[in-house]
Amino acid sequence: MNRKTLVLPAVIGLLAPVLAACGGSDSGDKGGDAIAVGTTDRFIASKAVPAPFDPAYAYDAGSWNVLRQTVQTLMAMPRSGSGDPVPEAAESCIFTDSGSERYVCKLRKDLQFADGDPVTAADVKYSIDRVRAIKSSSMSYGLLSTIDTIETQGDREVVFHLNTPDATFPYKLATPTAGIVNPDDYAKNKLRDGFEVDGSGPYTMKAEVDGKTVVKTVFTKNPHYKGQLKPKNDKVELVSFAGADAMGEALEKGDVDMMTRTMSPEQIKKYSTTPPENINLVEMPGMEIRYLGFTTTADSVRTKAVRQAMAQLVDRGELASSVYGTTAEPLYSLVPAGITGHQNSFFNKYGDPDRAKAAATLSGADITTPVKLTLHYTSDHYGSATKKEFEVLQKQLNASGLFDVDIKGDIWDTYRAAQLKGKYDVYGMGWFPDFPDADNFLAPFLDKDNFLASPYANGRIRGDLIPAERREADRLTAAKSLQQIQNTVADDVPVLPLWQGKQYVAARDDITGVEWALSSSSVLQLWELSRGVSG
């Protein structure tokens, strides 16, 4: 299985038998030593980010991937990352009415936290009510906004009463925001600062810290775990690197066994064409998107015509190909291609890049050109190519003569805090879905209590279209409302979609289960990995 790139289709299970035959079996970790996995995700505790691993605060792909190993949820996404959620801490969950407003879950029998304490329905209620009460600055509590009240019936039954129909609610219970925590470890009205995590998931976790930065996260198999997962190893170490180059060097030296996000485009090209001996690159479906966000009350972009002119000028094709090569594709909606309800609304409205049309848009709104803007980006959160991406955007906009653009990068912990406070007029962000449904590419940016803390508020989207699509258990039926939302976004441009990306994992060839290491929803599934036989 040396020296090859494996391309995994959406129906990933078709390849599993072949891959298993190449590197070992599902019989567990034969080597006995921990499997080391590299990542460029950086976890820093600071005044701006006090509780990176608290389910009431965490709301980025990196911290969620730590929580998914340790903190159990009532529901979980299937192994592939697509399809309907399946029971996890729950034995069963079901809507008990025809209007998707009453959802009942029954816990598994004899469920325990890792310390041996029983997990009860009261703990579930406490955990979710805690997130809703704390209302952290990360805005993660918005995922639970359709809950009205929670009641318990005995030790094992939890009843969710929703304030509006929400067919996507089972997906939300599969997110770490709905993670179950022990009241003994997590105060009711206060975040748990630092890096300690306790739960009932497949692993316990211990963070190795240098100053206020995590350098390694050690996951050890939880003997009390009861759920639908079947961990294939006893210990995994998630090692944080300052950049993709250092992570790649560690893989090639054998200091780590696998590396995940975020590999650089150069590494992906190298491992696709001339990989080092005993290292394989796995390509898999992904739903990652990148976009520009706007503080629509800021003077520089308050007028819709400015945002529309930018949408008219940005050349997504050049941006994706020149920076990311074959690893990214142009995106013309917040909803990526492949998701039910996707529509190319931005292309339908603006077509190919056109300076004359952009100039006419600005002139029609009496906007003096060139429009001065600063595009902000995070220098350390989405990979080393982000700076180059913003240099390309700067060049495209400035070449039109209609804009005078500067760019500025900041590290993630200060960047995210500043963005939430509205300090950036225009800023770049990425999105890894909470769950694989079009609602999760729209509501988090457009609804009340949204992920961006955006001042943009469209009454029809919030009052009519989002509630309408959430009423439909059949997501094909919901597509009409979803597409109307996308068309409105293309017209108002509170966000500007740029590209959607594929996912890649590189691993040494004695590691098995690599094809399942990342689901299509970007869930890091460390429990799938084991050490097999190099071949």
Side-chain angles (χ1 to χ4, degrees), residues 137-253:
S137 60
S138 71
M139 310 303 288
S140 61
Y141 64 89
L143 276 169
L144 306 176
S145 63
T146 57
I147 296 175
D148 184 16
T149 59
I150 307 172
E151 66 171 306
T152 62
Q153 297 180 357
D155 286 339
R156 295 178 58 199
E157 191 164 285
V158 187
V159 182
F160 297 92
H161 299 278
L162 307 185
N163 52 36
T164 186
D166 186 1
T168 69
F169 188 65
Y171 291 95
K172 296 171 182 176
L173 290 184
T175 69
T177 298
I180 306 166
V181 300
N182 191 331
D184 292 343
D185 299 319
Y186 293 80
K188 183 175 183 179
N189 296 306
K190 182 180 181 298
L191 292 171
R192 187 178 184 181
D193 294 353
F195 302 110
E196 290 186 289
V197 180
D198 292 280
S200 56
Y203 297 97
T204 60
M205 187 279 275
K206 181 175 177 58
E208 296 183 10
V209 180
D210 181 7
K212 294 187 176 181
T213 302
V214 173
V215 294
K216 183 189 294 183
T217 310
V218 181
F219 299 100
T220 304
K221 191 174 181 179
N222 172 14
H224 294 293
Y225 170 71
K226 291 184 178 179
Q228 53 92 28
L229 303 174
K230 293 179 172 57
K232 298 176 174 62
N233 59 70
D234 292 328
K235 183 178 287 188
V236 182
E237 297 174 348
L238 189 64
V239 184
S240 292
F241 290 90
D245 288 344
M247 181 171 63
E249 289 175 9
L251 178 68
E252 292 176 23
K253 288 167 58 180

Side-chain angles (χ1 to χ4, degrees), residues 17 104 138 166 197 220 380 399-400 411 459 485-486 494:
V104 179
S138 71
D166 186 1
V197 180
T220 304
D380 65 338
S400 71
I411 62 172
I485 296 172
Q486 291 168 79

Side-chain angles (χ1 to χ4, degrees), residues 478-513:
K480 181 178 179 181
S481 297
L482 293 166
Q483 290 169 355
Q484 289 180 57
I485 296 172
Q486 291 168 79
N487 289 340
T488 302
V489 170
D491 186 57
D492 289 350
V493 200
V495 290
L496 178 57
L498 298 173
W499 57 266
Q500 69 179 85
K502 302 172 185 176
Q503 296 187 120
Y504 296 86
V505 171
R508 303 190 70 83
D509 67 358
D510 64 333
I511 301 301
T512 65

